Amino acid sequence: MRKTTLLLATATFAMAGCTGMSTPAQLTFDSLSVEKRVALTADTNSPAYEMKLNVKYVKEGSEDIRKSVNDAITAKIFNMHNVDIKMAVDSFVNENVQTYISDMLPLYEEDKRDIDKRPIYEYAADINTQVENGKEGVVTYYINMYNYTGGAHGLTQLLTLNFDKATGKTITLDDVLVTGYKIRLNELLQKALMEKADCKDINELHDKGYLFSMEMYPSSNFALGKDGITFIYNPYEIAPYALGRIELTIGYSTLEPIMKKNEDKQE
């Protein structure tokens, strides 16, 4: 049996300062970057797994704030809890590489003479993060993710987290909207969707593929912007893949009746 060699090429691991990306108050972000190409066999034309990660994290500040923000980041991106962010990145890379080799190598050995099947063995993972100042006292953390593990196409997602700059706390909709907000918010979101899709009613939305087997709901991926809240729906969430990512922004003036007042937030 021919011995197969695992090639690791173009691998870099760097912790680099994030020039110009720090935010005011206590949250200052740095970057953890990884680029790795893992060839499936020793053949010169071997398919490979291309991995690119650029994960921002809080490096400075109080231990409580750093832990609060970084734990939320590792949970959102890697589904890991109470794990150091460097360990989370290492674990993600190593586990995905091991799965790629163990699952794909036996199949590729059978298919390698079929050129048409080669693309299904070209895996890719790309994670890129950004931070942006939003509503006063808030920084929004954006996670752009692309993953291809065979099939007709890869999956692109945009995930978000909103952090209180002073405390590092993750801000949820329950923190900014009054109890019972969902009914009114769903109405506003559906209206925004109809305007975006140029539809007069729910039936036209259904005809175009939106909300075909579900009702409107507020996405857990949202950005507390300077002028309003943007709700992000990734492919397949409220519409078919072909319709892409959908972003619906509701201005604070429109949301005012269901927003908590300052005194309510402090309770």
Side-chain angles (χ1 to χ4, degrees):
M1 180 177 179
R2 181 172 64 81
K3 183 178 180 181
T4 301
T5 303
L6 173 64
L7 299 181
L8 301 182
T10 331
T12 62
F13 192 91
M15 296 185 71
C18 181
T19 305
M21 293 302 296
S22 63
T23 59
Q26 285 85 345
L27 294 187
T28 302
F29 288 85
D30 208 340
S31 291
L32 180 60
S33 300
V34 176
E35 285 194 32
K36 197 180 192 76
R37 182 180 186 276
V38 180
L40 195 55
T41 73
D43 300 339
T44 56
N45 64 340
S46 170
Y49 196 159
E50 299 274 1
M51 307 184 79
K52 295 181 181 180
L53 290 80
N54 181 9
V55 180
K56 293 185 180 355
Y57 66 102
V58 173
K59 184 178 182 180
E60 300 177 356
S62 74
E63 182 178 353
D64 288 344
I65 289 177
R66 284 188 286 110
K67 178 174 173 53
S68 177
V69 173
N70 295 338
D71 281 354
I73 291 170
T74 56
K76 189 78 168 183
I77 300 177
F78 306 112
N79 195 29
M80 299 180 192
H81 302 270
N82 298 315
V83 177
D84 175 79
I85 199 155
K86 183 179 182 300
M87 292 179 60
V89 170
D90 285 343
S91 178
F92 174 85
V93 171
N94 293 334
E95 288 182 11
N96 278 275
V97 167
Q98 291 173 10
T99 300
Y100 175 62
I101 297 299
S102 62
D103 290 355
M104 294 296 104
L105 183 56
L107 300 175
Y108 180 67
E109 292 291 357
E110 297 180 5
D111 291 339
K112 64 193 308 181
R113 292 178 180 80
D114 189 339
I115 298 177
D116 293 336
K117 291 184 178 181
R118 189 177 185 280
I120 67 175
Y121 296 97
E122 295 281 7
Y123 275 30
D126 192 332
I127 299 174
N128 186 44
T129 61
Q130 296 176 313
V131 292
E132 183 177 297
N133 289 321
K135 190 175 185 291
E136 184 178 358
V138 176
V139 61
T140 299
Y141 187 96
Y142 294 93
I143 307 161
N144 289 281
M145 304 181 70
Y146 172 77
N147 192 43
Y148 179 75
T149 54
H153 52 72
L155 182 62
T156 300
Q157 292 182 296
L158 176 59
L159 311 180
T160 63
L161 291 163
N162 297 275
F163 295 115
D164 184 310
K165 292 179 183 178
T167 66
K169 178 182 181 296
T170 301
I171 303 171
T172 68
L173 286 177
D174 290 342
D175 294 324
V176 296
L177 301 179
V178 299
T179 301
Y181 66 84
K182 288 186 179 180
I183 293 176
R184 179 55 181 153
L185 180 56
N186 288 343
E187 293 173 351
L188 294 172
L189 287 169
Q190 186 166 305
K191 179 181 178 182
L193 180 60
M194 287 192 293
E195 291 175 354
K196 192 177 191 71
D198 192 24
C199 296
K200 295 192 299 290
D201 53 36
I202 189 66
N203 293 325
E204 285 196 9
L205 282 175
H206 290 166
D207 290 342
K208 291 187 177 182
Y210 297 96
L211 302 176
F212 190 75
S213 59
M214 69 195 71
E215 295 183 353
M216 195 73 231
Y217 65 92
S219 174
S220 59
N221 291 305
F222 62 92
L224 293 170
K226 294 179 180 179
D227 300 314
I229 305 178
T230 297
F231 295 85
I232 299 161
Y233 299 88
N234 288 299
Y236 296 121
E237 290 186 343
I238 61 172
Y241 176 85
L243 292 175
R245 185 173 72 232
I246 299 161
E247 298 184 12
L248 304 174
T249 300
I250 312 295
Y252 290 127
S253 58
T254 302
L255 290 168
E256 196 276 335
I258 58 173
M259 291 196 69
K260 288 183 177 179
K261 306 300 184 287
N262 291 333
E263 57 269 22
D264 296 330
K265 299 175 188 176
Q266 294 171 358
E267 290 181 356

